[in-house]
Each structure stands twice: as C-alpha cells, then as structure tokens.
Amino acid sequence: MSTPTTAHIDIHRAGDRMKTRVAWLDSKHSFSFGEHYDPDNTHHGLLLVNNEDIVLPGEGFDTHPHRDMEIVTWVLNGSLVHQDSLGHAGVIYPGLAQRMSAGTGILHSEKNDSWRLPRDQGGTAQHAEPVHFVQMWVVPDEPGITPGYQQLEIDDELAGGGLVTVATGMPRYRDRAAIAISSSHSALHVARMPGTVAGTPAVVTLPEAPYLHVFIARGQVDMEGVGTLYEGDAVRMAHSGGQRIVAENPAEVLVWEMHARLGGQ
C-alpha cells in the first residue's frame, strides 16, 4: 500500500451520488455499488462503501452473504434489526456503535421491524417509522479472519460534541475506541455537533492523515479551506488534515481517518 505525497481535496455533493430507489428503499451511494459502477469512483483510501439508506417500516435487506470486509453501521433515525448466521441478533439505534467482521463468510439480514419491537422501544403501529442509516465498508488488514460482531452504546460520549472514535484497529486509538475493527490503518470518528451554544458555534478539528473521508450525515457545516457543506456532501482528502469544521446549527459528521489505501490503485 502506498500513500500520496501532495495535498488534495475533492468535494462530492449529495446530489451527484449514485442512487438506488425501489418501493421500500432510498439508497444513495458515495462509491460504486451493486449495478452502479464508475471505474473512477470505486474507493477512497480503504473505504469502499458509504451508503446512506432509508428503509420503510416492515421492510429491509433479506439474508445475504458477505466476505472479507469490515462493515460499520451508523443509525441516524429509527432502528434497524440485525440478525446473522453466528447467532447475533440486536437492534441498532442512534448512538449505538456497531460493526460486523465478515471474514471467511457470514450471512445476515437488516430489517426495519420498528412496530414489532418491545413497547418501551417504540413497538406500536403509531410509532413505526423509517430507519435512516449510513453503512460503511473498509478493507481488513488480511483476508480470512474469523467472522465477528460487536456493538456498544456511546450516547454519553457523543453528547460532548467533539470527535468520538467509534471504530478502529489503529494502536493509537485502541484504548479509547468504542468498537474494534480488523484494520490497523483506519479509524471512524463521529461528531454530533450541538451548534451554537452561548454565542459560540461548535468546532471540531480534523486529524491529519494520508487519507480522510468527511461525510455530513446531518445538518450543515462550514469547513476551513472548503466552504459550506450540506447534508449528504462528502470531502475526500489526501495528505491533509488539521482543518476546522464549524457548525452554527446541530450537525452530525462522520470522519474516516486512513493511513493506507487499497492495493495502490
């Protein structure tokens, strides 16, 4: 794997993403995915998939296979029911960090079963709602690892408004990350920015890395040297970092920090 030597910043607007729309699914793809293929847009660093999905109640992805991929799911609104061939079953909701290591092979399903959940989790017909989430795939250090699953609630950490390390295999973050992934060259950080408080807007500073992918999951922000970014916009950066992101109103930002890239492509 090689790294870039000169700074480079690309802005990718929300409306330019590839889209999959069926009766129950509204999916927007930051990179080539499924039947949508662009040879010039297959990945950035080690990040291959950044899909923003909205799934209607009672619908979802039936059981399907994955191999040799670290899959991180981040829910913005609603809840997503996960079940897999290892026997894991759970509900993913906002503030819950979750990853699945596909490794040698795993089957799983993801459904919006909101009206079937226990009553204290909104499980009534009148509380059924679409689930809105971002699913991200990164390449593991090596193929053929043992499949696995991990989740942890981090609402309290996110309440601070700064960048929270959600998932990583990087030694520098391992002790403070919510969940582990089998990638020693990448880390996902999330900031749930509160907006202006007591006259001062929320600010986070990007880490420095050979590759950064900044995705505006919710709201609107201003990024130093880039300008205004809106919900669904992304910035791909090479040999950069240190820029400030400012939010005058509530916003949620997902940042992949990567110190390698896929196969030198």
Side-chain angles (χ1 to χ4, degrees), residues 194-257:
T196 301
V197 177
T200 302
V203 178
V204 296
T205 301
L206 294 175
E208 295 188 5
Y211 300 94
L212 290 172
H213 185 270
V214 180
F215 180 71
I216 312 306
R218 196 190 333 251
Q220 174 183 322
V221 302
D222 288 297
M223 181 173 165
E224 188 175 10
V226 172
T228 303
L229 297 170
Y230 304 93
E231 190 166 298
D233 287 350
V235 181
R236 303 178 194 178
M237 307 168 69
H239 201 67
S240 188
Q243 293 90 344
R244 295 175 0 129
I245 294 178
V246 179
E248 295 185 354
N249 296 296
E252 197 156 338
V253 180
L254 281 58
V255 179
W256 277 99
E257 171 189 350

Coordinates of all heavy atoms in Angstrom, one line a residue, residues 194-257:
P194 N -23.5 20.2 18.5 CA -24.7 20.8 19.0 C -25.1 22.1 18.4 O -26.2 22.6 18.6 CB -24.4 21.0 20.5 CG -22.9 21.3 20.5 CD -22.3 20.4 19.4
G195 N -24.2 22.7 17.6 CA -24.5 24.1 17.0 C -24.0 25.1 18.0 O -23.2 24.9 18.9
T196 N -24.5 26.3 17.8 CA -24.1 27.5 18.7 C -24.7 27.4 20.1 O -25.9 27.2 20.3 CB -24.6 28.8 18.0 OG1 -24.0 28.9 16.7 CG2 -24.2 30.0 18.9
V197 N -23.8 27.5 21.0 CA -24.1 27.4 22.5 C -23.5 28.7 23.1 O -22.3 28.9 23.0 CB -23.6 26.2 23.1 CG1 -23.9 26.2 24.6 CG2 -24.2 24.9 22.5
A198 N -24.3 29.5 23.8 CA -23.9 30.7 24.5 C -23.1 31.6 23.5 O -22.0 32.2 23.8 CB -23.0 30.3 25.7
G199 N -23.6 31.7 22.3 CA -23.0 32.6 21.3 C -21.8 32.0 20.5 O -21.2 32.7 19.7
T200 N -21.3 30.8 20.9 CA -20.2 30.2 20.3 C -20.6 29.0 19.5 O -21.1 28.0 20.0 CB -19.1 29.8 21.3 OG1 -18.8 30.9 22.1 CG2 -17.9 29.2 20.7
P201 N -20.2 28.9 18.2 CA -20.6 27.7 17.3 C -19.7 26.6 17.7 O -18.6 26.7 18.3 CB -20.3 28.2 15.9 CG -19.3 29.3 16.1 CD -19.6 30.0 17.4
A202 N -20.2 25.4 17.4 CA -19.5 24.1 17.7 C -18.3 24.0 16.7 O -18.5 24.3 15.5 CB -20.4 22.9 17.6
V203 N -17.2 23.5 17.2 CA -16.0 23.4 16.3 C -15.3 22.0 16.6 O -15.2 21.6 17.8 CB -15.0 24.5 16.6 CG1 -13.7 24.3 15.7 CG2 -15.6 25.9 16.3
V204 N -14.9 21.3 15.5 CA -14.0 20.2 15.7 C -12.9 20.3 14.7 O -13.0 21.0 13.6 CB -14.8 18.8 15.4 CG1 -15.8 18.6 16.4 CG2 -15.3 18.8 14.0
T205 N -11.8 19.7 15.0 CA -10.6 19.8 14.1 C -10.3 18.4 13.6 O -10.2 17.4 14.3 CB -9.4 20.3 14.9 OG1 -9.7 21.6 15.4 CG2 -8.1 20.4 14.0
L206 N -10.1 18.3 12.2 CA -9.9 17.1 11.6 C -8.5 16.5 11.9 O -7.5 17.3 12.1 CB -10.0 17.2 10.1 CG -11.4 17.5 9.5 CD1 -11.3 17.8 8.0 CD2 -12.3 16.4 9.9
P207 N -8.3 15.2 12.1 CA -7.0 14.7 12.3 C -6.2 14.8 11.0 O -6.8 15.0 9.9 CB -7.3 13.2 12.6 CG -8.6 12.9 12.0 CD -9.4 14.2 12.1
E208 N -4.9 14.7 11.1 CA -4.0 14.7 9.9 C -3.8 13.2 9.5 O -3.4 12.4 10.3 CB -2.7 15.4 10.2 CG -3.0 16.9 10.5 CD -1.7 17.7 10.5 OE1 -0.6 17.1 10.3 OE2 -1.7 18.9 10.9
A209 N -3.9 13.0 8.2 CA -3.7 11.6 7.7 C -3.5 11.6 6.2 O -3.9 12.6 5.5 CB -5.0 10.8 8.0
P210 N -2.9 10.6 5.7 CA -2.8 10.5 4.2 C -4.1 10.5 3.5 O -4.2 11.0 2.4 CB -2.0 9.1 4.0 CG -1.3 8.9 5.3 CD -2.2 9.5 6.4
Y211 N -5.2 9.9 4.1 CA -6.5 9.9 3.5 C -7.5 10.2 4.6 O -7.5 9.6 5.7 CB -6.8 8.5 2.9 CG -5.8 8.1 1.8 CD1 -4.7 7.3 2.2 CD2 -6.0 8.5 0.5 CE1 -3.8 6.9 1.2 CE2 -5.1 8.1 -0.5 CZ -4.0 7.3 -0.1 OH -3.1 7.0 -1.1
L212 N -8.4 11.1 4.2 CA -9.6 11.4 5.1 C -10.8 11.4 4.2 O -10.8 11.9 3.0 CB -9.4 12.8 5.7 CG -8.4 13.0 6.8 CD1 -8.3 14.5 7.1 CD2 -8.7 12.2 8.0
H213 N -11.9 10.9 4.8 CA -13.2 11.0 4.1 C -14.2 11.6 5.1 O -14.4 11.0 6.2 CB -13.7 9.6 3.7 CG -15.0 9.6 2.9 ND1 -16.3 9.6 3.5 CD2 -15.3 9.7 1.6 CE1 -17.2 9.6 2.6 NE2 -16.6 9.7 1.4
V214 N -14.7 12.8 4.8 CA -15.6 13.5 5.7 C -17.0 13.5 5.1 O -17.2 14.0 3.9 CB -15.1 15.0 5.9 CG1 -16.0 15.8 6.8 CG2 -13.6 15.0 6.4
F215 N -17.9 13.0 5.8 CA -19.3 12.9 5.3 C -20.3 13.6 6.3 O -20.2 13.4 7.5 CB -19.7 11.4 5.2 CG -21.1 11.2 4.7 CD1 -21.4 11.5 3.4 CD2 -22.1 10.8 5.6 CE1 -22.7 11.3 2.9 CE2 -23.4 10.6 5.1 CZ -23.7 10.9 3.8
I216 N -21.0 14.5 5.7 CA -22.0 15.3 6.5 C -23.3 14.5 6.6 O -24.1 14.5 5.6 CB -22.3 16.7 5.9 CG1 -20.9 17.4 5.6 CG2 -23.1 17.5 6.9 CD1 -19.9 17.5 6.7
A217 N -23.5 13.8 7.7 CA -24.7 12.9 7.8 C -25.9 13.7 8.1 O -27.0 13.2 7.8 CB -24.4 11.9 8.9
R218 N -25.8 14.8 8.8 CA -26.9 15.6 9.2 C -26.5 17.1 9.3 O -25.5 17.4 9.8 CB -27.5 15.1 10.5 CG -28.9 15.5 10.8 CD -29.3 15.2 12.2 NE -28.7 14.1 12.9 CZ -29.4 12.9 13.1 NH1 -30.6 12.8 12.7 NH2 -28.8 12.0 13.8
G219 N -27.4 18.0 8.8 CA -27.2 19.4 9.0 C -26.3 20.0 8.0 O -26.1 19.5 6.9
Q220 N -25.7 21.2 8.4 CA -24.9 22.0 7.5 C -23.7 22.5 8.3 O -23.8 22.9 9.5 CB -25.7 23.2 7.0 CG -24.9 24.2 6.2 CD -25.8 25.4 5.8 OE1 -27.0 25.2 5.5 NE2 -25.3 26.6 5.9
V221 N -22.5 22.5 7.7 CA -21.3 23.0 8.4 C -20.5 23.8 7.5 O -20.7 23.8 6.2 CB -20.4 21.8 8.9 CG1 -21.2 20.9 9.9 CG2 -19.9 21.0 7.7
D222 N -19.5 24.5 8.0 CA -18.5 25.2 7.2 C -17.2 24.6 7.5 O -16.8 24.4 8.7 CB -18.5 26.7 7.5 CG -19.7 27.4 7.0 OD1 -19.8 27.4 5.8 OD2 -20.5 27.9 7.8
M223 N -16.4 24.3 6.5 CA -15.1 23.6 6.6 C -14.0 24.5 6.1 O -14.1 25.1 5.0 CB -15.1 22.3 5.9 CG -13.8 21.5 6.0 SD -13.9 19.9 5.2 CE -12.2 19.4 5.1
E224 N -13.0 24.7 7.0 CA -11.9 25.6 6.7 C -11.3 25.2 5.3 O -10.9 24.0 5.1 CB -10.9 25.5 7.8 CG -9.8 26.5 7.7 CD -8.9 26.5 9.0 OE1 -9.1 25.5 9.8 OE2 -8.1 27.3 9.1
G225 N -11.1 26.2 4.4 CA -10.5 25.9 3.1 C -11.4 25.3 2.1 O -11.0 25.1 1.0
V226 N -12.6 24.9 2.5 CA -13.6 24.2 1.6 C -14.8 25.1 1.4 O -15.3 25.3 0.3 CB -13.9 22.8 2.1 CG1 -15.0 22.2 1.3 CG2 -12.7 21.9 2.1
G227 N -15.4 25.6 2.5 CA -16.6 26.3 2.4 C -17.8 25.6 3.0 O -17.6 24.7 3.9
T228 N -19.0 25.9 2.6 CA -20.2 25.3 3.2 C -20.4 23.9 2.7 O -20.4 23.7 1.4 CB -21.4 26.2 2.9 OG1 -21.2 27.5 3.5 CG2 -22.6 25.6 3.6
L229 N -20.7 23.0 3.6 CA -21.1 21.6 3.2 C -22.5 21.3 3.8 O -22.8 21.7 4.9 CB -20.1 20.6 3.8 CG -18.6 20.8 3.3 CD1 -17.7 19.9 4.1 CD2 -18.5 20.4 1.8
Y230 N -23.3 20.7 2.9 CA -24.7 20.4 3.3 C -24.9 18.9 3.5 O -24.0 18.1 3.2 CB -25.6 20.9 2.2 CG -25.4 22.3 1.8 CD1 -24.5 22.8 0.8 CD2 -26.1 23.3 2.6 CE1 -24.3 24.1 0.5 CE2 -25.9 24.7 2.3 CZ -25.0 25.1 1.3 OH -24.9 26.4 1.0
E231 N -26.0 18.6 4.1 CA -26.3 17.2 4.4 C -26.1 16.3 3.1 O -26.7 16.6 2.1 CB -27.7 17.1 4.9 CG -28.1 15.7 5.5 CD -29.4 15.8 6.3 OE1 -29.4 16.6 7.3 OE2 -30.4 15.2 5.9
G232 N -25.4 15.2 3.3 CA -25.1 14.3 2.2 C -23.8 14.6 1.4 O -23.4 13.8 0.6
D233 N -23.2 15.8 1.6 CA -22.0 16.1 1.0 C -20.8 15.4 1.6 O -20.9 15.0 2.8 CB -21.7 17.6 1.1 CG -22.6 18.5 0.2 OD1 -23.3 18.0 -0.6 OD2 -22.5 19.7 0.4
A234 N -19.8 15.2 0.8 CA -18.6 14.5 1.3 C -17.3 15.2 0.8 O -17.4 15.8 -0.3 CB -18.6 13.0 0.9
V235 N -16.3 15.1 1.6 CA -15.0 15.6 1.1 C -14.0 14.5 1.2 O -13.8 13.9 2.3 CB -14.5 16.8 2.0 CG1 -13.2 17.4 1.5 CG2 -15.6 17.9 2.0
R236 N -13.3 14.3 0.1 CA -12.2 13.3 0.1 C -10.9 14.0 0.1 O -10.6 14.9 -0.8 CB -12.3 12.4 -1.1 CG -13.7 11.7 -1.2 CD -13.8 10.8 -2.4 NE -15.2 10.4 -2.6 CZ -15.6 9.7 -3.7 NH1 -14.7 9.3 -4.6 NH2 -16.9 9.4 -3.8
M237 N -10.0 13.7 1.0 CA -8.8 14.5 1.2 C -7.6 13.5 1.2 O -7.7 12.4 1.7 CB -8.8 15.2 2.5 CG -10.1 16.1 2.7 SD -10.3 16.7 4.4 CE -9.0 17.8 4.5
A238 N -6.5 14.0 0.6 CA -5.3 13.2 0.6 C -4.1 14.1 1.1 O -4.0 15.2 0.8 CB -4.9 12.8 -0.9
H239 N -3.3 13.5 2.0 CA -2.2 14.1 2.6 C -2.6 15.5 3.2 O -2.0 16.5 2.9 CB -1.1 14.3 1.5 CG 0.3 14.5 2.1 ND1 0.9 13.5 2.8 CD2 1.1 15.6 2.1 CE1 2.1 14.0 3.2 NE2 2.2 15.2 2.8
S240 N -3.6 15.4 4.0 CA -4.2 16.7 4.5 C -4.7 16.5 6.0 O -4.4 15.5 6.6 CB -5.3 17.1 3.6 OG -5.8 18.4 4.0
G241 N -5.4 17.4 6.5 CA -6.0 17.4 7.8 C -5.7 18.6 8.6 O -5.0 19.5 8.1
G242 N -6.2 18.7 9.8 CA -6.0 19.9 10.6 C -7.0 21.0 10.4 O -7.0 22.0 11.1
Q243 N -7.9 20.9 9.4 CA -8.9 21.9 9.1 C -10.0 21.9 10.2 O -10.3 20.8 10.8 CB -9.6 21.6 7.8 CG -8.7 21.8 6.6 CD -7.9 20.6 6.2 OE1 -7.9 19.6 6.9 NE2 -7.4 20.6 5.0
R244 N -10.5 23.0 10.5 CA -11.6 23.1 11.4 C -13.0 23.0 10.7 O -13.2 23.5 9.6 CB -11.6 24.5 12.2 CG -10.3 24.6 13.0 CD -10.2 26.0 13.7 NE -11.2 26.9 13.4 CZ -11.8 27.6 14.4 NH1 -11.6 27.4 15.6 NH2 -12.7 28.5 14.1
I245 N -13.9 22.3 11.4 CA -15.3 22.2 10.9 C -16.1 23.0 11.9 O -16.0 22.7 13.1 CB -15.7 20.8 10.7 CG1 -14.9 20.1 9.6 CG2 -17.2 20.7 10.5 CD1 -15.3 18.6 9.4
V246 N -17.0 23.9 11.4 CA -17.7 24.8 12.3 C -19.2 24.5 12.0 O -19.7 24.5 10.9 CB -17.4 26.2 12.1 CG1 -18.2 27.1 13.0 CG2 -15.9 26.5 12.3
A247 N -20.0 24.4 13.1 CA -21.5 24.2 12.9 C -22.2 25.2 13.8 O -22.1 25.2 15.0 CB -21.9 22.8 13.3
E248 N -23.0 26.1 13.1 CA -23.8 27.0 13.9 C -25.1 26.4 14.3 O -25.7 26.9 15.3 CB -24.0 28.3 13.0 CG -22.8 29.1 12.7 CD -23.0 30.3 12.0 OE1 -24.2 30.6 11.6 OE2 -22.1 31.1 11.7
N249 N -25.5 25.4 13.6 CA -26.7 24.6 14.0 C -26.4 23.2 14.2 O -25.3 22.7 13.7 CB -27.8 24.8 12.9 CG -28.3 26.3 12.8 OD1 -28.8 26.8 13.7 ND2 -28.0 26.9 11.7
P250 N -27.2 22.4 14.8 CA -26.9 21.0 15.0 C -26.5 20.2 13.8 O -27.2 20.4 12.7 CB -28.2 20.4 15.7 CG -28.8 21.6 16.4 CD -28.5 22.8 15.5
A251 N -25.5 19.4 13.8 CA -25.0 18.7 12.7 C -24.3 17.4 13.2 O -23.9 17.3 14.3 CB -24.0 19.5 11.9
E252 N -24.2 16.4 12.3 CA -23.5 15.2 12.6 C -22.5 14.9 11.5 O -22.9 14.9 10.3 CB -24.5 14.1 12.7 CG -24.0 12.8 13.5 CD -25.1 12.0 14.1 OE1 -26.2 12.5 14.4 OE2 -24.8 10.8 14.4
V253 N -21.3 14.6 11.8 CA -20.2 14.5 10.8 C -19.5 13.2 11.1 O -19.2 12.8 12.2 CB -19.2 15.6 10.9 CG1 -18.1 15.5 9.9 CG2 -19.9 17.0 10.8
L254 N -19.3 12.4 10.0 CA -18.6 11.1 10.1 C -17.2 11.3 9.4 O -17.2 11.7 8.2 CB -19.4 10.0 9.4 CG -20.6 9.4 10.2 CD1 -21.6 10.4 10.6 CD2 -21.2 8.3 9.3
V255 N -16.2 10.9 10.0 CA -14.8 11.1 9.5 C -14.0 9.8 9.5 O -13.8 9.2 10.6 CB -14.0 12.2 10.3 CG1 -12.6 12.4 9.7 CG2 -14.8 13.5 10.3
W256 N -13.6 9.4 8.4 CA -12.7 8.2 8.3 C -11.3 8.7 8.1 O -11.0 9.5 7.2 CB -13.1 7.3 7.1 CG -14.2 6.3 7.4 CD1 -15.5 6.5 7.0 CD2 -14.0 5.1 8.1 NE1 -16.2 5.4 7.5 CE2 -15.3 4.5 8.1 CE3 -13.0 4.4 8.7 CZ2 -15.6 3.3 8.7 CZ3 -13.2 3.2 9.3 CH2 -14.5 2.7 9.3
E257 N -10.5 8.3 9.1 CA -9.0 8.6 9.0 C -8.3 7.4 8.6 O -8.5 6.3 9.2 CB -8.6 9.0 10.4 CG -7.0 9.2 10.6 CD -6.6 9.4 12.0 OE1 -7.5 9.6 12.9 OE2 -5.4 9.3 12.2

